[in-house]
Amino acid sequence: MEFRSLFVLLIAAHFFNGACSTNFTIKNNCPYTIWPATQTGQGQQVSLGFEISALDIINFNISAPWSGRIWSRFVCSNAAGNFTCLSGDCGSGKLECDGAGGQPPATLVQFNLAEFGNDFYDVSIVDGFNLPVLVTPQDGSGCYSTGCPTDINAVCPRAFSVKNTDDGTIGCKSACTAFHRPIYCCTEYYGTPKTCGPTKYSNFFKRLCPQAYSYAYDDKTSTFTCMAGINYAITFCP
Ligand SMILES: *[C@@H]1O[C@H](CO)[C@@H](O)[C@H](O)[C@H]1NC(C)=O
Ligand SMILES: *[C@@H]1O[C@H](CO)[C@@H](O)[C@H](O)[C@H]1NC(C)=O
Ligand SMILES: *[C@@H]1O[C@H](CO)[C@@H](O)[C@H](O)[C@H]1NC(C)=O
């Protein structure tokens, strides 16, 4: 009897390990090296950082339930062993971010991987944009890809752009990131779905990336869902 329940437990553990492990593939289609990272919101702490050369691919597992973000840094250097980036830096001084997020503006890929039921995923440019990205569910039927595949840096208004040392644009701030006003950040009086709506600034981003979150309550057109247990590909510069 005891042996039998242990056996059942082991089988169950094995099944749930397999079933609840999500395999992420990150592809770098940009013509330069990028350094993606993870930030955990809830669940097991997953603090991963990667260096991916142009046109290269990496993959890793995360076991559900987990919620968190994946974004990428670029224009990075490791001078004197202090790893820093001009775009998306998290301030850790190394490849892993130890729980810190990327400094805005950064395109965020957000996941809520449920243990049972559904995964939820979205791409957010609420805090601005730094790299185009596409998220593709790998094997779920009826699951949709989402992303912000447009290079917003190329059309970023001067007042919002973050510049590289060579004056190229490596990030485009949202109105919230640029002006820190409650009306753009959906804070204070504007901290509810009823009081905070799109603005001419968020609409500028929404037109370029209709599937991405352009302001905090942009849920209707920006949240995607798929059955839990499937895998995802994330492509930068799709
Ligand atoms: C990732 O998860 C799959 C099952 O989903 C498993 O077969 C594989 O061994 C895992 N890989 C690593 C490195 O944990
Ligand atoms: C994820 O899936 C890919 C492709 O199916 C496979 O090559 C890779 O080994 C998997 N990664 C892990 C960490 O299991
Ligand atoms: C690493 O570089 C950053 C950015 O230049 C700087 O703010 C930080 O103080 C440096 N850290 C160390 C340990 O030198």
Side-chain angles (χ1 to χ4, degrees), residues 156-163 171-174 177-179 201:
C156 186
R158 181 157 280 275
F160 289 171
S161 70
V162 174
K163 298 288 193 184
C172 191
K173 295 176 184 174
S174 65
T177 305
F179 306 134
Y201 298 111

Side-chain angles (χ1 to χ4, degrees), residues 22-26 38 46 48 50 58-62 66 70 234:
T22 301
N23 180 331
F24 288 94
T25 301
I26 302 188
T38 63
V46 178
L48 302 171
F50 307 95
I58 58 107
N59 57 67
F60 59 93
N61 279 350
I62 292 181
W66 182 79
I70 298 168
I234 299 170

